[in-house]
Amino acid sequence: MKVKKLIFHLFMSILLIVSVSACGSSSDLENKNKAVKEDKKKEDEASNEAKPEKLIIWEEEGKAEALKPVIEAFEKEYGIKVEHEELEMATEMYERLRRDGPIGNGKAPDVVTFSHEKVGQIVKEGLIQEVKVKDEVLNTFIEPSIRGEMFQDKVFGLPKSVTTSVFIYNKKLMAKAPETMNDLYKMTKELRKRNVHGYYAKWNDFHDSYGVMAGMGGYIFKDKNGKLDPSDIGLNNKGSIKGAAYIQKWYGAGLIPKGGKAGIEKLFLQGKLASIMSDGNSVTERKDTGIAPMPELPNGQPMKTFMEIKGWHVTAFTKHPYWSTKLVEYLTNDDNAMKRFDLTGEIPPNKSIKHNAAIKENERAQALSIQLQYAEPVPNIPEMNKVWGPMNSAMDEMTTQKAKPKRALDKAVKKIKKER
């Protein structure tokens, strides 16, 4: 009898546990379904925005061929005509947006493209608006590319391409890319004995020199929980000084050739320069050219080159923010990002590219995708505009041996703070 009671109680306990679990599962499922319905409702409400007859998009000069097949597919899928115009991106597009946008004369675009470096400025001027997309969309891109499109904790664009500097070398002069900058230094000294320059980086310019300084522990503005603090400048800290001293060592030894961009590229193409630090657009088509990530710094850290990001942005003047955002999402999805790569060679910031055969088989794309892991977006806050002048002057003074790194960097930071 006792055994029967025991079995009965055990059975009832199991039944109770199953019932409670079922209720919990049912409740969880109900909550999940409710959340899905809420999200759908919000999306439906947003999509109730009247579908426009057309949208206007401004593309950077020389890139319309990559845009055409994508907007044709968008037109077919959504039934919205998309007109496009090519403009010089840095100045002409900016000036025309400032002029035509507020007038509302039908000429203002719904979607534009800019470098991420301009984001802070054009947000403050009221030229673009926040891009409201789901996290699952943002998560398709590498994190730094989204960070570059953010300002004051909001996303103001979706990235369409990214680039950074890589190591480009002549395979006839270098059998393979050196793994470290110390190795490269030794190779360069040996090549000078044969009257050949071993390496060129535009280190007298802050844009190129920052990769060394950041890799040694320097920074421009302190990143505090994802927000840049322009009052905390690290361009004269120990790491920056150490990086600048390393750069000065190369110039002091006479290992960096002089000349402008055209002259340096000519030296490389003539076989009188073995390697350069560059994005390589103009010198990478030759069969004897190799491309690799930047060699490791003397402290064992990667060179933290600047990352440049180009993005699509919804203007503040569009009457169709929902459909403009839809277009931006469409332009930057994984499939269309790869179409752009096929037509322009621009590297998409989509995470999925590392699995793509076209990227794996392209030496430049492969080198860039590796170096981009270490690259840092150029700060997009307006205060960055005050950094370039003083830091370019500091690098010029150091590379011409007119000043020691600490004195030149202290002077530059003092000027940046004064002008801020």
Side-chain angles (χ1 to χ4, degrees), residues 172-190:
K172 292 180 180 178
L173 298 171
M174 282 184 183
K176 63 177 183 176
E179 292 186 8
T180 71
M181 289 301 295
N182 284 341
D183 291 339
L184 178 61
Y185 189 85
K186 291 172 188 173
M187 289 168 125
T188 300
K189 292 200 88 172
E190 286 300 313

Side-chain angles (χ1 to χ4, degrees), residues 282-314:
S282 54
V283 294
T284 55
E285 298 302 316
R286 294 163 58 105
K287 289 181 180 179
D288 58 0
T289 298
I291 311 164
M294 292 303 299
E296 190 180 86
L297 290 167
N299 64 348
Q301 294 299 309
M303 198 178 289
K304 294 184 179 179
T305 49
F306 269 139
M307 179 189 293
E308 276 80 43
I309 305 153
K310 292 175 186 174
W312 292 114
H313 307 273
V314 176

Side-chain angles (χ1 to χ4, degrees), residues 33-75:
N33 287 339
K34 189 178 177 183
V36 170
K37 283 178 183 176
E38 283 296 317
D39 285 346
K40 186 74 172 65
K41 186 181 175 185
K42 286 177 185 175
E43 195 170 337
D44 287 343
E45 284 172 1
S47 64
N48 283 337
E49 173 188 288
K51 188 182 283 191
E53 288 184 16
K54 73 173 182 180
L55 293 170
I56 298 173
I57 184 171
W58 285 355
E59 170 66 289
E60 63 181 301
E61 200 169 25
K63 299 294 172 63
E65 286 307 308
L67 185 64
K68 285 176 185 176
V70 181
I71 60 177
E72 283 171 10
F74 180 86
E75 289 172 337

